[in-house]
Amino acid sequence: MRALIINADDFGLLSPVNQAIIDTYRAGSITSTTLMVNMPAAEEAVALARETPGLAVGLHLNLTCGGPVSDPESIPTLVDAQGRFLSRGELLKRCLTGRVRRAEVRREVQAQFARFAAFGLPMSHVDSHQHVHMIPLVFDEVVQITEKLGLPMRMPFVFDFAQRSLSGQWFKKMVLKLFVRRNQARLGSCPTNQRFLSIWDIVTFPKAIQREHYLQLLDWTADGVTELMVHPAYVTEELYQVSNIVPVSLRETDILLTMPLAEEARRRNIHLQSYWEMQRGR
């Protein structure tokens, strides 16, 4: 059976993101979302989730945007002089050159899990902002928690059949592929998806994104569970300050609101689900 999870990242980032996620769920285009517990609109996102009980909510672990849940002084190798998280590039360099302390990663990862638990929402699964949970040092801490709690985890597999020449991010994809291969061997009993897709597998130019591209992504699903990652958002000036994919988000939102992917999936005999089904199937 082909099963598809359509997950909207960045729940809690800002109010316009929260509302776009709720609207695309109600339009029939997403099945789950993942919450950034450290961001300004996290509490609003939790309130919206409580009003939308069919929407599965997981943890969007975040080490590259905003400030930490922990006291910044307790994790100095993860933050800058202002106590804000480092960029993904800087975090990766520090991790790969031994300049990040494992104990600090553990402290912040545990703090974000605890913050989610304090909100009182059931956690469907775990992924991360900019796939930072695939950095080996981070992954090794996260997988210990997911295994203990019986939580599924996203594996952002690089789709080999995608048109990588269009992405302009060949090197990043190769690094990610190496990390995924390494981490896959350490998953243990942690459930995960078998394929991972996004609009970035086809095109990176926002004006070129068409409805047909999302139909193509549906056709790329295979037996087992595929996750399709999306980033709906209503664009504001504030969003430009925290996201570098705003034009893509705007175009993606328009398509998700006007072309319910659930209907298109059913026409292709694809079962729509969330990560909850993986928990129940353990």
Side-chain angles (χ1 to χ4, degrees), residues 34-178:
T34 34
L35 176 66
M36 305 173 82
V37 298
N38 69 313
M39 297 305 289
E43 291 188 7
E44 178 196 79
V46 170
L48 289 169
R50 291 195 181 109
E51 297 170 0
T52 317
L55 177 64
V57 182
L59 172 64
H60 199 50
L61 185 73
N62 175 20
L63 300 177
T64 58
C65 183
V69 173
S70 307
D71 179 352
E73 293 185 0
S74 72
I75 53 169
T77 63
L78 292 176
V79 297
D80 61 19
Q82 289 72 46
R84 310 287 286 178
F85 280 134
L86 307 168
S87 68
R88 177 174 56 180
E90 181 60 25
L91 174 65
L92 179 59
K93 283 191 295 184
R94 287 194 184 188
C95 284
L96 295 181
T97 55
R99 291 181 289 150
V100 169
R101 299 189 186 100
R102 180 177 295 274
E104 295 179 20
V105 173
R106 183 179 302 123
R107 181 176 296 118
E108 180 60 22
V109 167
Q110 290 177 345
Q112 292 193 23
F113 272 89
R115 172 70 64 84
F116 191 107
F119 285 137
L121 290 177
M123 188 184 300
S124 64
H125 70 290
V126 177
D127 58 30
S128 67
H129 192 52
Q130 299 181 322
H131 302 322
V132 295
H133 71 300
M134 285 295 103
I135 298 174
L137 179 60
V138 180
F139 176 86
D140 290 346
E141 297 303 320
V142 176
V143 76
Q144 291 185 49
I145 300 175
T146 56
E147 280 202 288
K148 181 179 179 180
L149 299 178
L151 290 170
M153 182 195 300
R154 167 196 284 172
M155 291 296 281
F157 298 106
V158 175
F159 186 42
D160 287 331
F161 297 103
Q163 300 179 52
R164 291 180 301 179
S165 61
L166 292 178
S167 73
Q169 299 186 15
W170 181 86
F171 179 74
K172 290 181 181 179
K173 286 193 172 187
M174 289 303 98
V175 171
L176 179 59
K177 189 172 183 177
L178 290 173

Side-chain angles (χ1 to χ4, degrees), residues 50 209-210 227 260:
R50 291 195 181 109
I209 297 174
Q210 303 296 326
E227 182 186 337

